[in-house]
Amino acid sequence: MSKVSKLFELFEKDPRSVILRTEDYSAHDVASLLKKYFRSLDDCVLKADYHVHWCGIAGEKMALDQRLAIFKELLGELPELNYCTLKKLLCHLNSIAANSTENMMPLENLGAIFGQTLLFTATSAQDFSVVQQEICVVTDLLRYYSYLFEVDLEEAEKEKKMLKAIEKLKQATNSMPNPAGDLLIGIHLESTNGESSNVKIDPNKTASDIVQEFLRMKRIEDGTDTQPFGLFEILLNGEMERVVLDREKVLPIVLSWNEYELHPSAFCLCVKRNYVHRWIHETGASTSRELFGEIKFCDKKSWKKAYIELTRESLLVYKDLKTLRDPKAVTRPEPNHSWPIESIIVYKGIEKRRSPPTEFGITINIHDSNTRNNNKDYFGYGLCFPTQKDVEKWIGGLLAQSGPVRQSMRRNSQSSLDAVVHHGKPSGLGLSRGFSIKNFMKNNFGKK
């Protein structure tokens, strides 16, 4: 039995268990497997019912815009599964053609190889002229892929970044993606020192799935320990880390490392005792409390005093302390930053290059915002505190307020800015059932 036939049987039994290694299979083996699979289907991807229309257009002399308009119309008639499969395959083939100077596979060659794979009937192979038309159709679909599938620049750039990220991960960690969309990546246990163990990450696996699979592989029982195991994302060789929430998808996290234009070895995943678990439950134990206080804040490199407040919905940063401290001020200033809790990713630690003023710091990054690009050379926003207890309190508070965690904790708080004056003087970075900024500043700083 040939390699391709063996591979075909393996994919038929359990596609996600198949691992493709370059020492076992060549690119030609995998391409042959893909062609064999599509040819084995009861109907071709472009639908045999439309074969006469596809080939008829290819055989007609007509203006390009007219031909492409009819192609678009036919693509719109395809079932969703066929359409999405075709789009993904053509996107991949275009990335191959983009490197044709190295692999000798321009669009014309790929069209010839996949013409009869994506468009055929039971008898079309018997007529050479029809075969040529099938090849012309697929070649045109490849050549005008972006227009026909309405791929915008953002989507195309995202695809390029994903391919680049996977390639860099392969080079740095011996990760090996396979056609099922999975990625093998090394995960450390307890410490990033020493060897890692490869775990398969597919697009649907969550942090909880990865932890349980990793512990089974290591024959470790999680048990009912008050400090269970968790999955941690480690950045910049350990300068920053965060616990990945149980329901978070892991593959997007790994692929996002490519955005920071650093060698992938600076990033890793680690399964270890989840010390953050205690911080969340200690801070979130009281259902009507919120955090506030003065800290050192950095959005680029320089560190300035700032006032921050965590409400049930947002994290607010005020840089105008002069107005906040003024007992005569009637209204409070607008916050310089206001981030919805759901958009925040919080890391313990700060980049050393930022020269943080204390050793007790956290870094805030924002979902759907490439903060590193905005700040040029630095990652996210830095917050420095006086003590380690403050770090625990704020990380615990931010995570306790996040949706996935808050769903399991009954919270009933209101904005501290709009609440009544707290009886007694707040001290430092505190928790309060309610206070006013005016009184907080008066009690802590006195009149100017």
Side-chain angles (χ1 to χ4, degrees), residues 14-186:
D14 184 7
R16 292 201 176 276
S17 68
V18 182
I19 298 174
L20 297 174
R21 297 186 177 89
T22 52
E23 59 265 30
D24 298 328
Y25 304 102
S26 69
H28 298 291
D29 294 330
V30 178
S32 297
L33 170 69
L34 190 60
K35 289 170 60 182
K36 182 179 178 70
Y37 169 74
F38 282 122
R39 291 288 299 186
S40 72
L41 298 176
D42 294 333
D43 195 1
C44 63
V45 176
L46 289 169
K47 301 294 290 179
D49 287 347
Y50 303 143
H51 185 274
V52 64
H53 302 295
W54 287 113
C55 291
I57 299 167
E60 285 287 330
K61 289 185 177 181
M62 62 176 69
L64 176 62
D65 58 345
Q66 186 180 358
R67 183 162 78 252
L68 294 183
I70 300 173
F71 276 170
K72 258 194 171 185
E73 193 173 324
L74 286 171
L75 287 171
E77 294 295 321
L78 295 177
E80 183 179 6
L81 180 61
N82 294 53
Y83 181 89
C84 293
T85 301
L86 179 66
K87 181 180 179 181
K88 189 67 178 176
L89 177 60
L90 294 180
C91 176
H92 177 68
L93 294 179
N94 264 291
S95 69
I96 293 174
N99 295 286
S100 60
T101 53
E102 298 175 19
N103 57 37
M104 308 302 290
M105 278 290 161
L107 290 178
E108 292 76 15
N109 288 8
L110 291 168
I113 291 170
F114 284 90
Q116 274 209 295
T117 299
L118 300 175
L119 181 62
F120 61 86
T121 65
T123 60
S124 63
Q126 300 172 11
D127 190 329
F128 180 76
S129 63
V130 174
V131 171
Q132 289 299 108
Q133 289 170 350
E134 292 168 346
I135 291 172
C136 286
V137 169
V138 174
T139 302
D140 277 348
L141 293 179
L142 279 167
R143 179 173 286 113
Y144 303 108
Y145 162 76
S146 296
Y147 170 76
L148 293 171
F149 289 89
E150 299 180 358
V151 179
D152 57 28
L153 290 175
E154 183 179 351
E155 185 178 351
E157 191 61 29
K158 181 180 178 181
E159 185 69 26
K160 288 180 182 178
K161 284 184 176 181
M162 288 182 66
L163 292 171
K164 184 179 177 182
I166 290 174
E167 186 59 34
K168 288 177 72 174
L169 283 166
K170 284 170 60 180
Q171 294 171 2
T173 64
N174 293 320
S175 301
M176 180 62 70
N178 66 48
D182 304 337
L183 186 72
L184 281 178
I185 187 166

Side-chain angles (χ1 to χ4, degrees), residues 316-373:
L316 309 174
V317 179
Y318 299 86
K319 295 183 182 179
D320 185 6
L321 293 185
K322 183 178 179 180
T323 303
L324 287 174
R325 292 172 180 172
D326 185 359
K328 297 180 180 180
V330 178
T331 60
R332 59 183 173 87
E334 289 296 315
N336 296 88
H337 298 286
S338 177
W339 300 301
I341 296 296
E342 303 304 325
S343 71
I344 292 174
I345 306 172
V346 57
Y347 295 86
K348 179 173 74 72
I350 296 171
E351 283 185 90
K352 290 181 180 178
R353 294 185 306 121
R354 270 185 159 153
S355 302
T358 76
E359 60 182 301
F360 312 111
I362 67 175
T363 298
I364 297 295
N365 207 18
I366 309 301
H367 274 302
D368 303 323
S369 173
N370 194 340
T371 306
R372 190 175 190 89
N373 281 350

